[in-house]
């Protein structure tokens, strides 16, 4: 194509050539933009693929985390169960240990009591009282067929004799050798106050507390039930059932009394048998030594510890009477 001058574009041919040149330039620009577009499209495809890979990787990681989370939850639940079981086992072990401790203490107490009984039996064998005690027990079980009994203790050469049944002396002298014949004489004569004092003296003798002149809680275990029954039988017999230890205990139990001490029941008991007045326990000097006194009023001296509490303060004796089934 021939070049024309500056003014040739105004001709038809100039217009045409100018348009062709403009179209060529536009096509080149279009080709350039199209190339850029293709490159962008290719880049978009690559980025999309990369994004998909990243998303897939993230999904896999999330699934792995979920699996680990489920595993952790299962482990936590298993740990909680093991902890609960451990707490239960510890509680059981603690209870077993506590029971074992209590039983060990009971066994220790039993062992001490057994040792004490052994020492008591040994002492009884040495002084000859065991023979007497067993003889009286046998006689109490079979009075009609009781025969004269004479036993020789070969260790200490002690001799103990139980009298004939018709002599009626056996129940007046206990297996410990305590003589209740004077008490019987006083009761038979109706000398209630002297009989009450004599009863106290005999209880001191049974407990081996004559020198001290008073009884303590621990002395109760030294009482033979046979001695207590002998004292009670004499009181009941000569008072026609008005006085006696068994009368007192019967009233005490009728009020709900038991081995376990209850201050309210014990006060009610004191009120019932006349040992209390104006809500106060009586001093021994105010005791009524006549059959006009309430049932169970006597014996009274053995219930006074002389420590300022008045008659009824030595209530520990009640547990012994109950255990002896008086």
């Amino acid at each position: 194509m021939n070049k024309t001058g500056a003014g040739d574009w105004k001709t038809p041919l100039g217009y045409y050539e100018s348009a062709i040149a403009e179209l060529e330039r536009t096509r080149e620009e279009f080709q350039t933009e199209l190339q850029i577009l293709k490159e962008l499209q290719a880049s978009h495809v690559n980025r999309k693929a990369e994004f998909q890979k990243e998303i897939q990787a993230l999904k896999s990681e999330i699934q792995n985390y979920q699996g680990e989370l489920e595993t952790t939850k299962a482990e936590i639940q298993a740990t909680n169960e093991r902890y609960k079981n451990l707490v239960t086992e510890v509680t059981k072990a603690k209870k077993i240990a506590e029971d074992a401790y209590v039983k060990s203490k009971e066994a220790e107490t039993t062992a001490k009591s057994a040792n004490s009984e052994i020492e008591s039996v040994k002492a009884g064998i040495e002084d000859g009282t065991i023979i007497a005690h067993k003889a009286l027990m046998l006689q109490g079980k079979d009075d009609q067929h009781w025969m004269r009994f004479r036993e020789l203790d070969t260790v200490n050469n002690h001799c103990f004799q139980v009298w004939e049944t018709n002599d009626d002396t056996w129940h007046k002298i206990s297996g410990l050798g305590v003589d209740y014949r004077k008490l019987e004489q006083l009761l038979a004569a109706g000398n209630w106050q002297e009989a009450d004092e004599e009863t106290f003296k005999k209880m001191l003798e049974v407990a081996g507390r004559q020198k001290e002149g008073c009884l303590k809680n621990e002395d109760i275990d030294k009482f033979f039930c046979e001695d207590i029954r002998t004292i009670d039988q004499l009181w009941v017999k000569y008072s026609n059932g008005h006085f006696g230890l068994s009368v007192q205990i019967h009233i005490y139990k009728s009020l709900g009394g038991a081995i376990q001490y209850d201050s309210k029941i014990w006060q009610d008991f004191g009120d019932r048998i006349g040992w209390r007045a104006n809500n106060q326990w009586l001093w021994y000097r105010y005791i009524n030594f006549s059959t006009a006194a309430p049932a169970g009023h006597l014996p009274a001296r053995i219930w006074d510890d002389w420590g300022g509490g008045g008659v009824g303060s030595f209530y520990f004796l009640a547990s012994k009477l109950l255990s002896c089934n008086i």
Side-chain angles (χ1 to χ4, degrees):
M1 182 178 295
N2 295 326
K3 296 181 180 180
T4 61
D8 291 341
W9 63 275
K10 295 181 179 180
T11 65
L13 183 57
Y15 278 115
Y16 176 74
E17 291 178 347
S18 177
I20 292 297
E22 185 67 25
L23 181 61
E24 185 66 24
R25 186 175 61 253
T26 301
R27 189 178 69 80
E28 291 176 354
E29 291 177 354
F30 177 75
Q31 288 293 336
T32 300
E33 290 179 356
L34 182 61
Q35 184 63 34
I36 293 171
L37 182 61
K38 288 181 178 179
E39 292 176 353
L40 289 173
Q41 186 177 11
S43 176
H44 174 70
V45 171
N46 293 334
R47 293 293 300 277
K48 183 178 180 181
E50 291 176 358
F51 286 155
Q52 288 178 343
K53 289 181 180 179
E54 291 179 357
I55 290 172
Q56 189 63 35
L58 288 173
K59 286 183 177 179
S60 298
E61 289 182 3
I62 290 172
Q63 289 177 349
N64 291 335
Y65 289 148
Q66 287 178 339
E68 292 177 357
L69 180 61
E70 292 298 326
T71 301
T72 303
K73 287 172 62 178
E75 290 177 351
I76 291 173
Q77 290 178 349
T79 302
N80 288 337
E81 287 299 322
R82 287 195 297 271
Y83 175 75
K84 290 180 181 178
N85 292 336
L86 181 61
V87 170
T88 301
E89 291 298 325
V90 169
T91 301
K92 290 180 179 179
K94 183 179 179 182
K95 182 64 168 59
I96 292 172
E98 290 175 351
D99 292 343
Y101 177 78
V102 172
K103 289 181 179 179
S104 68
K105 288 296 182 182
E106 291 176 351
E108 183 179 350
T109 301
T110 301
K112 289 181 179 179
S113 178
N115 288 333
S116 177
E117 290 293 333
I118 290 172
E119 292 300 323
S120 177
V121 170
K122 287 171 62 179
I125 292 174
E126 292 175 357
D127 63 18
T129 57
I130 289 295
I131 297 172
H133 180 56
K134 292 301 180 182
L136 291 180
M137 288 177 64
L138 288 172
Q139 184 174 18
K141 292 179 180 178
D142 192 1
D143 288 343
Q144 290 182 352
H145 298 88
W146 177 250
M147 62 181 181
R148 294 181 181 86
F149 178 85
R150 187 181 297 270
E151 183 69 30
L152 183 66
D153 182 348
T154 57
V155 177
N156 294 295
N157 200 29
H158 288 302
C159 183
F160 178 81
Q161 179 178 358
V162 175
W163 292 265
E164 297 179 16
T165 305
N166 57 11
D167 187 9
D168 198 33
T169 308
W170 63 271
H171 75 279
K172 301 172 188 174
I173 300 179
S174 75
L176 291 176
V178 179
D179 191 340
Y180 295 103
R181 286 176 291 186
K182 181 179 179 181
L183 174 61
E184 182 176 30
Q185 293 170 1
L186 293 171
L187 289 169
N191 294 330
W192 306 115
Q193 184 169 0
E194 292 182 40
D196 197 30
E197 292 289 353
E198 179 68 11
T199 297
F200 180 64
K201 291 178 183 178
K202 292 306 170 183
M203 293 294 274
L204 290 176
E205 188 176 347
V206 170
R209 299 276 297 178
Q210 303 97 310
K211 182 178 179 181
E212 291 79 3
C214 62
L215 294 172
K216 292 184 177 181
N217 303 346
E218 55 267 26
D219 298 324
I220 295 176
D221 290 333
K222 299 178 183 178
F223 295 162
F224 271 175
C225 292
E226 285 78 8
D227 287 86
I228 295 176
R229 289 194 183 96
T230 297
I231 292 173
D232 174 61
Q233 290 167 2
L234 291 173
W235 274 93
V236 171
K237 176 181 178 180
Y238 291 103
S239 68
N240 294 320
H242 192 66
F243 297 139
L245 297 172
S246 60
V247 177
Q248 294 171 344
I249 287 301
H250 176 74
I251 295 172
Y252 176 60
K253 290 195 294 186
S254 71
L255 296 171
I259 291 179
Q260 185 67 32
Y261 171 72
D262 184 298
S263 59
K264 177 61 170 59
I265 293 176
W266 190 251
Q267 289 175 3
D268 292 342
F269 169 68
D271 291 334
R272 175 72 68 84
I273 65 175
W275 287 353
R276 284 166 53 86
N278 299 321
N279 295 322
Q280 297 291 330
W281 293 93
L282 297 179
W283 297 110
Y284 184 66
R285 62 179 176 271
Y286 296 119
I287 291 298
N288 185 350
F289 295 102
S290 73
T291 53
H297 192 69
L298 297 174
R301 175 66 181 87
I302 57 176
W303 295 98
D304 191 337
D305 64 2
W306 293 79
V311 175
S313 55
F314 193 64
Y315 54 81
F316 303 98
L317 179 59
S319 62
K320 182 66 176 181
L321 299 181
L322 288 171
S323 65
C324 287
N325 196 26
I326 298 300

